[in-house]
Amino acid sequence: MATDLRISNISKIYPGCIANDNVSLQFKSGKIYALLGENGAGKSTLVKILSGVVSPDNGEVFLNEKNLKLSSPLEAKKNKIGMVFQHFNLFETLSVFENLSIDATEDNKSLRVRINEILKKYNFSIDLDVPVLNLSAGQKQKVEIIRCLLRSPKVLIMDEPTSVLTEQETEELFISLKKFCDEGILIIYITHKLKEVLSLCDEVAVMRKGKVVSVSQTHNERVETLANKMVGQKLAKIKKKINISKNKDEIFKVKHLNFYSDDPFETNLVNLNFSVKKGECLGIAGISGNGQNELFQILSGEIITPDTSIIFRNKEIAKLNPKQRREYLMAFSPEDRISQAAVPELKIYENVALNNFKSSNFFEKGLVNEKKIKEHSKKILSDFSVNTDNVELKSQFLSGGNLQKLILGRELITAPELLICYNPTWGLDVGAINYIHETLIKINDQEKSTILISTDTEELLKLSDRIAVIYKGKLSKIMPSEEVTPEKLGVLMGGGSID
Amino acid sequence: MSLDISFIGILIGSIMASSVPLILAASGELITERSGVLNLGVEGMMIIGAISGFALMVITDNLFIAIVGSMLSGVIISLIFGFLTQSLLTNHVATGLALTIFGIGLSAMLGKNFVGIPGKEFPILFSSLRESIPFFGPILFGHSIVLYFAFALPFLTNYFLKKTKLGLVVRAVGDSPVSASNQGINVILVRYCCILYGGAMCGLAGAYLSLIYTPQWIENMTAGRGWIALALVVFATWSPIKVLIGALIFGGITILQLHMQAIGFRIPVQFLSALPYLMTIIVLVVISRDSRKIKLNTPTSLGRIFYKEK
């Protein structure tokens, strides 16, 4: 039976922000629909409303002309609306089978039979009896999809599904999604990646600031037209810079980096060796969870590993802590802005003061020199175009993009020789990403070096001079970026070999 | 006092008896914590169970009513904790501590008129077998029904958590309340139930002390056992069977060091008194080294406040 999903005049207002402003859309089965928008455009809120997690202030949802009261996730499930969230809703410590059986109504035996049927039908290979925390992100997503399929859904909503997948996994996902679509499941695909919209979806609705600004057929659209609709202004396209650093000095050299951990949540690192030249950007690609966290922490000095040699500006720094490394003009931008890079409850200037140097004189005789820190913070805010000049603002009220600008500003204002950043544009919108990318390119232009650990292949190809891939704690050979293609990276990121 | 075989049997029997309150309270708290709720009010709930059990026994002269009443009182006092932490979203640690202080104070007040009243003899099962079989008799027979229940409880708890649907739901809620809620599980309800169950077990643990182990009411008679039970749960890394082992070691060394003191070993008394605590921690740390398993048993959301998005 054909499915017809209609949302009419949905509004949802949070304190200080209109998340959905009178949104009306219509979807029919047999097609894949894209819901496109920047972070904060209101996609996630709309999806949460459709899956019953939050209830709208106004408006209605109709499935086959039946008015749905989606007051809880259970209601959405009962009405055959399946949802795969961006941040998986799985129980990490439970086994795959336990995860799937938790809301099943049938007995375990017949459930297992049905799950195996699904695994076979769609060519998924997942061990049902291992804890979910042992699975890769792609496998976790499959578990989520199976969970939806078990309830034979009419509507399947995918929220930013490819943010954690390799190129190969993404392709596999697209094949599965097309299969589901052919079987009559209505698919709504939420993303901010334009290329995916064009290659996968039939129709696209663009959201901006809580409103639907355009609905169109994807074959009438191009990347540029969609991007402009999404951002609402013409974007300057960043050019990939030309690799010029050939005979430069090596400023940073890592030898015999090994890391061993008992913790099942951590990845062991096996004999990493690499170096960075002056003015160069070394990209380290990989799917998250392949040792990037550990690598970043070792490079920044949060973890000290024995027998590792790290030479920076001709000094051995392997035993130094992050603060001492900063004194030698290294700078760090961790992945997790909220919990690692900044303290959300502190004011902007207090966060700036956390990164204090001997030379910065933020503290005198154990007392805080508030005036000096505030001046310094104001300079960061204006130099790095953070959209506030109020240094007293608590950092948690900054958007992701502005917080990242603040963090980069804090790190860069001391003119470090080497910046190590880990997923600097994670979860940011196009405007902010462009700004961060420009900033990173500028650093290289000024003959300063960067190490960019990122899960975003496009970003790596755009910014790196040389690229290596980390997979299960091992580093591939380092390749000049002009020899690297997304396909090659995808193979390496999935554990394959390209030779 | 000769160390013959029947003496060892009696010794083991008494060790088992002294472990019962720890097993009961820790098993109850284990379920509460597996659902992600950290209730530090164990000591308070136990002492309330002890006084209400004893008082009901004196008033009604009926041990059954006394036992059930003590569990109900545990439920009622844990309901306060549940309401504060789950409905009013207060901090688990602070609320639990307040519950203990409140419980100790309230029990002292209620218990004023019951000090010095002799307790009633609690019926023991299979008393004839206890005498007739050497060594195993005093170990296996002649105990109260509560003791048998207590020793079955860790196994039942283990079965409940690992094999039943409801146990799965409890673990899921403790692992990730947000995911559970998104799966349509009523997280608050599950947590309430686990809190109330924990309260009932703590109440029973208290009643065991005042009705069976030392049948009388003494102010503050739980004497820190609630805190030991709490520590046991953590050091046993949320595994019911390890809770049982820990409780037996603690009970065992407590009894043994008393005997050692009585015999007059040339070891400082203070050290002997500290021995149960030390040994329990050492043994549990040693048997819980596998960090993998710990991760799988640890309720990830323990002590975190959960509220539903509206």
Side-chain angles (χ1 to χ4, degrees):
Chain A
M1 197 187 95
T3 308
D4 177 298
L5 180 72
R6 191 159 59 85
I7 50 186
S8 99
N9 304 320
I10 294 264
S11 292
K12 176 78 188 175
I13 298 167
Y14 287 113
C17 143
I18 301 175
N20 281 166
D21 187 1
N22 229 0
V23 174
S24 297
L25 285 167
Q26 187 157 20
F27 310 97
K28 284 193 167 72
S29 59
K31 277 186 181 172
I32 300 181
Y33 291 85
L35 197 54
L36 183 70
E38 294 190 287
N39 295 98
K43 296 168 298 180
S44 293
T45 306
L46 189 62
V47 164
K48 279 183 180 169
I49 289 170
L50 279 175
S51 56
V53 175
V54 298
S55 31
D57 298 333
N58 258 318
E60 284 160 325
V61 179
F62 297 92
L63 186 66
N64 291 336
E65 292 312 313
K66 187 181 146 211
N67 190 345
L68 301 184
K69 288 270 169 291
L70 298 173
S71 52
S72 73
L74 203 61
E75 282 301 311
K77 277 200 275 185
K78 273 185 196 154
N79 285 298
K80 307 256 177 224
I81 298 178
M83 168 83 204
V84 175
F85 288 93
Q86 180 182 10
H87 303 286
F88 300 131
N89 267 304
L90 295 171
F91 306 104
E92 294 269 324
T93 61
L94 306 188
S95 78
V96 174
F97 185 75
E98 284 174 331
N99 265 281
L100 293 172
S101 69
I102 199 147
D103 62 343
T105 44
E106 62 215 300
D107 64 84
N108 285 349
K109 216 171 168 183
S110 61
L111 179 69
R112 205 172 262 273
V113 172
R114 277 219 297 143
I115 294 171
N116 280 322
E117 276 168 13
I118 292 175
L119 289 176
K120 219 170 169 184
K121 187 169 170 192
Y122 299 107
N123 251 333
F124 295 167
S125 76
I126 292 169
D127 185 347
L128 293 183
D129 296 306
V130 298
V132 163
L133 61 92
N134 289 3
L135 301 184
S136 72
Q139 287 175 311
K140 284 181 191 172
Q141 187 175 63
K142 281 176 183 156
V143 176
E144 286 266 20
I145 293 176
I146 296 168
R147 178 150 74 183
C148 292
L149 292 177
L150 281 170
R151 293 184 153 256
S152 35
K154 286 181 179 154
V155 181
L156 182 63
I157 306 171
M158 308 284 302
D159 188 9
E160 306 267 4
T162 56
S163 53
V164 290
L165 302 185
T166 57
E167 303 274 332
Q168 270 76 10
E169 283 175 326
T170 303
E171 263 168 47
E172 282 172 34
L173 172 72
F174 284 5
I175 293 170
S176 306
L177 288 180
K178 280 177 181 156
K179 237 184 210 170
F180 302 152
C181 179
D182 290 341
E183 283 161 16
I185 301 174
L186 166 58
I187 292 173
I188 304 177
Y189 188 91
I190 321 296
T191 188
H192 60 250
K193 296 186 183 166
L194 305 165
K195 282 184 187 149
E196 291 180 358
V197 173
L198 295 177
S199 65
L200 176 75
C201 305
D202 302 296
E203 261 188 48
V204 51
V206 184
M207 287 188 75
R208 194 168 74 221
K209 290 180 181 161
K211 284 186 181 139
V212 176
V213 291
S214 122
V215 179
S216 56
Q217 305 285 323
T218 41
H219 60 79
N220 294 331
E221 298 283 354
R222 283 174 300 121
V223 170
E224 294 76 30
T225 55
L226 283 179
N228 287 334
K229 280 180 185 168
M230 197 163 118
V231 185
Q233 65 199 30
K234 286 250 183 269
L235 278 175
K237 193 153 171 101
I238 298 177
K239 263 217 226 127
K240 183 176 179 313
K241 76 203 168 86
I242 304 145
N243 188 340
I244 40 158
S245 50
K246 282 279 178 279
N247 305 315
K248 293 268 169 61
D249 302 337
E250 283 179 350
I251 185 169
F252 186 75
K253 191 164 181 156
V254 175
K255 266 198 227 158
H256 310 305
L257 194 162
N258 284 292
F259 171 69
Y260 178 75
S261 166
D262 275 333
D263 189 333
F265 283 100
E266 288 187 332
T267 311
N268 298 335
L269 298 179
V270 190
N271 198 22
L272 308 194
N273 296 288
F274 57 89
S275 60
V276 185
K277 289 178 189 153
K278 222 169 158 34
E280 180 190 47
C281 173
L282 174 69
I284 295 180
I287 307 157
S288 56
N290 274 293
Q292 292 97 325
N293 256 325
E294 295 75 12
L295 177 61
F296 181 86
Q297 288 182 23
I298 291 167
L299 294 182
S300 68
E302 284 170 65
I303 302 176
I304 303 287
T305 49
D307 308 324
T308 302
S309 152
I310 304 178
I311 307 279
F312 178 56
R313 298 167 74 207
N314 301 321
K315 277 194 198 75
E316 177 60 61
I317 57 155
K319 297 278 179 282
L320 301 187
N321 67 29
K323 194 178 167 204
Q324 291 164 323
R325 290 185 194 200
R326 283 196 154 100
E327 298 281 353
Y328 278 112
L329 292 179
M330 280 173 88
F332 313 103
S333 160
E335 180 186 40
D336 198 339
R337 293 184 272 270
I338 290 292
S339 69
Q340 285 175 290
V343 185
E345 291 83 17
L346 293 186
K347 294 170 182 167
I348 287 178
Y349 78 90
E350 291 169 327
N351 264 308
V352 168
L354 290 179
N355 196 5
N356 71 312
F357 287 83
K358 273 186 207 134
S359 56
S360 55
N361 295 327
F362 286 167
F363 304 99
E364 279 169 329
K365 295 170 194 147
L367 297 177
V368 182
N369 187 343
E370 221 169 84
K371 200 173 149 217
K372 191 152 210 161
I373 302 171
K374 282 182 182 166
E375 273 169 23
H376 186 78
S377 308
K378 282 213 170 101
K379 187 164 158 32
I380 294 177
L381 294 184
S382 68
D383 283 7
F384 289 84
S385 50
V386 181
N387 76 351
T388 177
D389 58 355
N390 179 9
V391 294
E392 305 267 356
L393 190 73
K394 278 194 181 177
S395 307
Q396 60 193 359
F397 295 117
L398 289 175
S399 72
N402 281 310
L403 186 58
Q404 184 67 5
K405 286 179 191 169
L406 172 69
I407 291 161
L408 270 184
R410 182 183 77 186
E411 298 293 324
L412 293 177
I413 204 137
T414 53
E417 288 294 330
L418 175 69
L419 171 73
I420 302 176
C421 41
Y422 180 17
N423 276 342
T425 58
W426 183 83
L428 301 188
D429 59 57
V430 178
I433 290 176
N434 268 345
Y435 184 87
I436 306 269
H437 284 175
E438 277 167 11
T439 311
L440 290 177
I441 290 174
K442 217 191 295 168
I443 299 174
N444 292 148
D445 289 344
Q446 293 164 351
E447 290 296 289
K448 316 286 185 198
S449 316
T450 47
I451 296 179
L452 173 66
I453 306 173
S454 175
T455 49
D456 182 342
T457 9
E458 212 175 310
E459 170 172 282
L460 285 160
L461 290 167
K462 200 149 104 185
L463 300 176
S464 317
D465 297 308
R466 291 184 302 150
I467 299 185
V469 175
I470 190 166
Y471 174 73
K472 288 202 172 160
K474 289 189 187 131
L475 206 60
S476 73
K477 72 168 192 204
I478 303 174
M479 304 159 283
S481 64
E482 63 260 22
E483 292 174 14
V484 181
T485 58
E487 291 70 33
K488 264 190 194 173
L489 279 186
V491 171
L492 289 170
M493 282 158 70
S497 151
I498 48 170
D499 297 318
Chain B
M1 198 189 291
S2 63
L3 277 175
D4 56 29
I5 202 96
S6 63
F7 171 70
I8 294 175
I10 293 169
L11 193 64
I12 294 176
S14 66
I15 288 171
M16 286 164 64
S18 75
S19 322
V20 169
L22 294 180
I23 301 172
L24 288 172
S27 297
E29 174 70 9
L30 187 137
I31 292 286
T32 311
E33 291 194 11
R34 281 307 278 267
S35 79
V37 179
L38 181 63
N39 186 352
L40 295 184
V42 176
E43 179 86 3
M45 299 188 292
M46 275 176 80
I47 196 95
I48 289 289
I51 182 59
S52 25
F54 191 79
L56 281 168
M57 188 275 292
V58 171
I59 295 163
T60 65
D61 201 31
N62 183 324
L63 284 168
F64 180 74
I65 293 179
I67 290 281
V68 173
S70 71
M71 289 168 77
L72 271 180
S73 66
V75 168
I76 292 166
I77 189 165
S78 65
L79 188 62
I80 302 173
F81 176 85
F83 179 69
L84 288 169
T85 57
Q86 303 308 306
S87 299
L88 301 183
L89 308 179
T90 61
N91 179 293
H92 292 192
V93 172
T95 315
L97 288 174
L99 191 69
T100 286
I101 297 166
F102 170 67
I104 290 172
L106 182 67
S107 67
M109 192 185 86
L110 294 173
K112 245 184 187 159
N113 298 329
F114 296 95
V115 178
I117 297 177
K120 200 177 167 188
E121 202 179 333
F122 201 88
I124 55 173
L125 306 175
F126 316 115
S127 51
S128 56
L129 285 171
R130 180 190 164 91
E131 305 304 327
S132 54
I133 305 172
F135 185 65
F136 289 109
I139 296 178
L140 296 176
F141 304 112
H143 300 296
S144 66
I145 184 141
V146 179
L147 182 139
Y148 293 108
F149 173 70
F151 275 83
L153 191 59
F155 299 99
L156 294 174
T157 309
N158 201 38
Y159 181 83
F160 169 77
L161 284 172
K162 291 224 168 99
K163 301 283 177 195
T164 67
K165 188 70 180 272
L166 271 177
L168 183 60
V169 170
V170 170
R171 281 189 290 148
V173 168
D175 180 300
S176 168
V178 178
S179 300
S181 179
N182 284 346
Q183 287 304 304
I185 295 171
N186 189 336
V187 173
I188 307 285
L189 180 69
V190 171
R191 288 191 160 177
Y192 257 108
C193 291
C194 292
I195 292 167
L196 298 189
Y197 170 78
M201 287 305 116
C202 290
L204 182 61
Y208 179 84
L209 285 172
S210 65
L211 293 176
I212 302 168
Y213 194 60
T214 49
Q216 58 184 319
W217 167 250
I218 309 164
E219 201 179 303
N220 210 358
M221 71 185 300
T222 47
R225 284 184 180 86
W227 295 111
I228 301 294
L230 260 169
L232 272 181
V233 177
V234 177
F235 278 107
T237 60
W238 295 274
S239 151
I241 308 301
K242 282 185 196 154
V243 161
L244 176 63
I245 296 170
L248 281 172
I249 292 168
F250 188 84
I253 296 176
T254 309
I255 301 277
L256 280 180
Q257 61 95 7
L258 286 176
H259 282 282
M260 283 159 87
Q261 284 187 30
I263 294 167
F265 266 84
R266 292 190 165 279
I267 300 172
V269 176
Q270 291 85 348
F271 179 76
L272 285 175
S273 314
L275 209 56
Y277 302 90
L278 275 175
M279 284 309 291
T280 311
I281 291 173
I282 289 170
V283 171
L284 287 175
V285 166
V286 169
I287 61 174
S288 321
R289 272 171 316 173
D290 189 347
S291 67
R292 257 202 90 65
K293 274 205 173 139
I294 295 178
K295 277 261 150 94
L296 293 180
N297 276 336
T298 307
T300 319
S301 71
L302 185 63
R304 275 191 232 143
I305 296 163
F306 168 78
Y307 61 93
K308 226 177 144 180
E309 258 185 284
K310 288 269 159 62

